Amino acid sequence: ARGNPFCACNDMANGEGFNEVFFENVRVPRSGLLGELNRGWYIATTTLDIAPPYESILRAAGLARFEDFMKVPCGATTSKHAARETAPFELRDGSGVNRFFLKRVFKVPAAHAIFPLLRGQRGFSQPMVEWQVLGELETRDIPAMKRVAVGEERSLGRPVRPSLLVEEVPMRHTLQHWLVLGVDKPESLSIRQRRELLKALGRLIGKLHGCGFRWPDIHAKHIFARHIDAMPGAAKWEFCLIDVERMTRLDRTERGGPDKAAQRDLRAIL
């Protein structure tokens, strides 16, 4: 475009690896405008990633910018803390009602945003970490809640406000309902059904650790489960993992390796 001169900048070694650019009365076509006029800094400091299958329904609902997700009205919060919340969210289209959960963090804690910088690491937010973990679980065919969209606002290289949108899990009960004493049970399980549940759970945890994942805050309420009758008195169990923002890669030098880690996780659930 006209009005966009530049000149080389010499470094301390008199090299010319950089250029200095001046914008003087630059004119560009309106079709080249990204976002809203005079909102360039906002675009530069925010990101929004939407999974392709959900782009049309979200954009039709006016959810095309990071700020849209931070301001959209939701249902009653299911989890609320000082600077973050999780709430149900519904969208309607030609096929019916689509139900989601929206996680919003209004201020990333210093332990995540600033302290890593002091160790020479990049600051992070839990919604962005969970988005990445969910993607890795999906590629390894490990059942987990479906990711829909993630966004983040950064300032001075650190995360400030993030959000994560996930699909509602198509199951009603967690392992807490099925296995934990003192919690109302959806139905009574036969000894054989309970044995099949524990076997299936063991295979799931074994696969999780076999793929190199470690889940420090694993809990029965973080694993949804349902059974499909395969034969009289027996059942095939399906699972879905939720709230995996603290899941990390297993340290192969950890004492006992993946097998010991899997055993510890099973004890934590039961």
Side-chain angles (χ1 to χ4, degrees), residues 143-145 169 174-176 204 215-225 239-247 269:
M145 56 186 185
V169 174
T174 68
L175 289 178
Q176 188 172 42
L204 172 65
W215 201 358
D217 64 337
I218 191 171
H219 193 280
K221 66 181 180 181
H222 293 159
I223 303 178
F224 277 82
F239 302 100
C240 185
L241 311 183
I242 66 169
D243 296 339
V244 296
E245 65 269 14
R246 292 185 177 87
M247 191 176 289
I269 294 173

Side-chain angles (χ1 to χ4, degrees), residues 188-251:
S188 59
L189 297 178
S190 66
I191 295 177
R192 184 172 182 177
Q193 287 175 323
R194 185 179 177 88
R195 185 184 303 121
E196 291 297 327
L197 170 57
L198 295 176
K199 286 181 180 179
L201 179 60
R203 289 192 294 268
L204 172 65
I205 300 302
K207 182 176 181 179
L208 191 67
H209 287 281
C211 290
F213 293 101
R214 183 175 181 273
W215 201 358
D217 64 337
I218 191 171
H219 193 280
K221 66 181 180 181
H222 293 159
I223 303 178
F224 277 82
R226 67 180 174 189
H227 66 82
I228 302 175
D229 291 332
M231 62 183 69
K236 176 183 177 182
W237 288 88
E238 295 180 338
F239 302 100
C240 185
L241 311 183
I242 66 169
D243 296 339
V244 296
E245 65 269 14
R246 292 185 177 87
M247 191 176 289
T248 60
R249 281 299 186 180
L250 183 68
D251 182 1

